[in-house]
Amino acid sequence: MMFFDGLEADVEFGKTLQEREFTFQQGTVPLNHGSYGAVARRMQEVQRCFLTEMNAQPDLWFRDSVNKHWDESVRAAARFFNCDSQDIVFVTNATEGINAVLKCYDFKEGETILSTSLTYGAVALTCRDVAAQNRVIKSEVLEIRFPIESDEAVLRQYEEYLQNHPKTRIVVIDHITSPSAVLLPVKKLAKICHKHGALVLVDGAHAPGHVPLDLEDLCVDFYTGNFHKWLFTPRGCAVLYVNRKHHDWIKPLVTSHSADGSLGEQFRQAGTRDHVPFVCAKYALEFCDRIGGMDRIMSYCSELAAEAQEYLAQLFQTDKPALPRDMEAPNMKLVQLPEIYPPLRKEQFQDFFMDFWRKTNIQTVAFELQGKAYLRVSPCIYNYMEEYRLLGQSVLEYIKKLNNSQ
Ligand SMILES: Cc1ncc(COP(=O)(O)O)c(C=O)c1O
């Protein structure tokens, strides 16, 4: 299979790559990689090839070939995350990874799950619902507010909270918060949680392909992360790492034929479904290597994110959220929007950026955070600075018209 023929390690990122290696509709300006990722054209070819194989001989695929492809893909993922291949499985998305862990834990009366005010919305609701279904446990929220002074300040907050709440059993830590784009000091936080007897479940939805990862070094109990955001696979591809200590009680959300098997067997066979995104993971890592490797990809995206944020903040004459540089997500940055009259309510933001997209063809995202309105940039290898200049000028014009029409 010659999926990556002709790709060079020094292939030009930006406009050329967008035109050659991605398949956005012509005229679209795709400036919201952070929400749903983008499936590289070569990865769509890998996906099509596996779909053809599955549909040609379904019995052969489900009874035999998928196992080999899954195992190879798991081994590639384990090398990437630096963990044992028996400790990592594929799940459809980070939300499923979080749900699997929280819904399997045998909580005792009075125990709690801890998340933060920056925890991703769907995950916060999962914590809430798990607590509600257990009836005797609680979901607690640690308030993290801007300005964030330093990672020590956040560590102190956790230390103090856990000292005063010894019944905290599982701490959900967002590796990169979204939409607020804060990089949390996971390794140091995990140490504090373990000292206080709590398990650590890391929501790394945005981390793989965005920041370097070494699960042996992080020493956490569970880690879930998406391949379909920053690693270009078809959507529906994520991993769940389960520390060996917990293999005996973590189960997939769907019980199936391999219910008595190993962790890997149980997650592989969760009813008839599409395994193709999972088996694409191995190829996505090869794709990243072929275009120059993770370091090259990460520096391109992070440098463009910093330049775009700086440019937009100057153009809008507004602020960035106050947090130390080393706590900013490398590829995702926020810029406060120019003033809108009357200010948008939380529930109006989606209409705002979808209307902006319909009028300008520029896909972006904006939201309310702690009383302020922000635009989020999340550049990927196919983006380039002229797109952000267009975004900036178009946002100014759009808001001017909006304000004049009030
Ligand atoms: C921190 C965080 N957690 C979880 C998710 C959910 O990811 P998915 O929809 O792939 O499950 C996201 C999505 O952006 C996220 O940013």
Side-chain angles (χ1 to χ4, degrees):
M1 290 188 269
M2 309 295 192
F3 296 119
F4 306 124
D5 275 4
L7 267 181
E8 303 292 340
D10 59 354
V11 57
E12 197 183 327
F13 288 170
K15 192 172 192 310
T16 314
L17 196 79
Q18 185 175 128
E19 285 163 4
R20 286 200 197 147
E21 300 294 339
F22 288 84
T23 58
F24 301 109
Q25 188 172 308
Q26 235 186 348
T28 286
V29 185
L31 293 182
N32 183 26
H33 187 84
S35 288
Y36 305 108
V39 189
R41 184 172 62 77
R42 311 278 182 145
M43 291 310 304
Q44 295 178 36
E45 283 159 18
V46 177
Q47 179 184 30
R48 265 195 298 277
C49 182
F50 279 122
L51 282 171
T52 305
E53 185 181 334
M54 174 172 70
N55 289 319
Q57 293 274 18
D59 272 55
L60 185 63
W61 173 264
F62 284 104
R63 291 179 197 280
D64 184 33
S65 355
V66 76
N67 299 334
K68 179 179 127 257
H69 293 314
W70 165 290
D71 288 345
E72 279 178 10
S73 210
V74 160
R75 280 199 293 275
R79 279 193 299 279
F80 178 73
F81 284 97
N82 192 29
C83 67
D84 193 297
S85 58
Q86 289 178 40
D87 298 340
I88 197 163
V89 292
F90 287 113
V91 285
T92 303
N93 48 53
T95 310
E96 184 186 332
I98 297 282
N99 270 266
V101 175
L102 290 179
K103 290 180 178 167
C104 282
Y105 189 71
D106 184 17
F107 289 98
K108 304 283 180 306
E109 184 162 356
E111 293 183 336
T112 59
I113 304 168
L114 179 67
S115 58
T116 77
S117 51
L118 302 182
T119 291
Y120 186 68
V123 174
L125 291 172
T126 307
C127 297
R128 182 201 72 182
D129 281 7
V130 167
Q133 278 155 17
N134 274 276
R135 288 163 195 268
V136 291
I137 69 159
K138 277 207 263 177
S139 167
E140 299 284 3
V141 177
L142 186 72
E143 188 72 26
I144 299 182
R145 293 199 67 82
F146 294 105
I148 297 176
E149 220 175 83
S150 61
D151 66 351
E152 279 84 24
V154 176
L155 297 172
R156 273 198 305 275
Q157 251 192 298
Y158 271 88
E159 178 82 57
E160 205 172 291
Y161 179 91
L162 291 167
Q163 247 162 19
N164 294 325
H165 298 82
K167 288 204 159 185
T168 309
R169 272 305 146 261
I170 299 193
V171 180
V172 179
I173 301 171
D174 298 53
H175 198 162
I176 293 173
T177 68
S178 177
S180 45
V182 180
L183 177 65
L184 285 171
V186 171
K187 186 175 173 184
K188 292 178 188 165
L189 285 173
K191 262 196 186 149
I192 294 176
C193 297
H194 286 153
K195 187 173 97 185
H196 291 280
L199 298 179
V200 176
L201 165 56
V202 181
D203 176 357
H206 269 283
H210 184 163
V211 289
L213 279 169
D214 180 341
L215 291 184
E216 290 297 340
D217 182 56
L218 281 187
C219 287
V220 298
D221 296 281
F222 313 99
Y223 192 103
T224 188
N226 285 326
F227 265 72
H228 58 219
K229 277 199 195 291
W230 295 93
L231 289 171
F232 313 108
T233 63
R235 296 171 184 92
C237 183
V239 291
L240 173 64
Y241 160 85
V242 178
N243 191 299
R244 197 65 60 91
K245 291 183 273 197
H246 308 300
H247 280 212
D248 56 338
W249 60 271
I250 291 291
K251 304 268 170 201
L253 292 169
V254 174
T255 305
S256 188
H257 296 297
S258 295
D260 296 326
S262 66
L263 184 86
E265 286 161 347
Q266 291 184 59
F267 275 81
R268 187 174 66 209
Q269 202 172 68
T272 306
R273 62 190 169 139
D274 183 7
H275 292 82
V276 169
F278 309 142
V279 304
C280 285
K282 172 185 160 203
Y283 294 85
L285 295 172
E286 195 182 328
F287 170 72
C288 292
D289 279 347
R290 293 293 290 265
I291 56 171
M294 288 318 307
D295 288 348
R296 179 172 187 238
I297 294 172
M298 289 190 290
S299 10
Y300 182 87
C301 299
S302 58
E303 281 164 25
L304 184 55
E307 193 181 344
Q309 183 193 38
E310 205 53 54
Y311 167 79
L312 292 169
Q314 279 194 19
L315 182 73
F316 296 164
Q317 300 189 319
T318 57
D319 290 332
K320 310 171 255 184
L323 79 163
R325 235 345 178 198
D326 62 352
M327 289 185 78
E328 285 182 18
N331 304 357
M332 291 206 300
K333 312 268 179 206
L334 307 186
V335 188
Q336 210 180 323
L337 280 168
E339 232 162 314
I340 300 171
Y341 311 107
L344 298 177
R345 294 189 306 279
K346 228 180 177 76
E347 63 279 11
Q348 291 177 307
F349 277 85
Q350 170 141 323
D351 285 347
F352 167 81
F353 65 75
M354 288 307 284
D355 185 60
F356 174 74
W357 167 69
R358 282 187 198 98
K359 293 193 166 117
T360 61
N361 253 337
I362 303 172
Q363 188 68 71
T364 186
V365 71
F367 51 86
E368 189 268 352
L369 179 68
Q370 299 178 1
K372 293 180 177 164
Y374 290 98
L375 189 75
R376 185 180 75 182
V377 298
S378 52
C380 194
I381 47 174
Y382 53 80
N383 292 122
Y384 46 100
M385 202 46 215
E386 290 94 281
E387 291 179 311
Y388 289 97
R389 292 198 190 95
L390 180 67
L391 171 70
Q393 300 298 341
S394 308
V395 165
L396 281 184
E397 272 172 42
Y398 180 81
I399 291 182
K400 198 168 157 196
K401 272 193 202 145
L402 200 67
N403 287 346
N404 286 342
S405 70
Q406 300 305 316

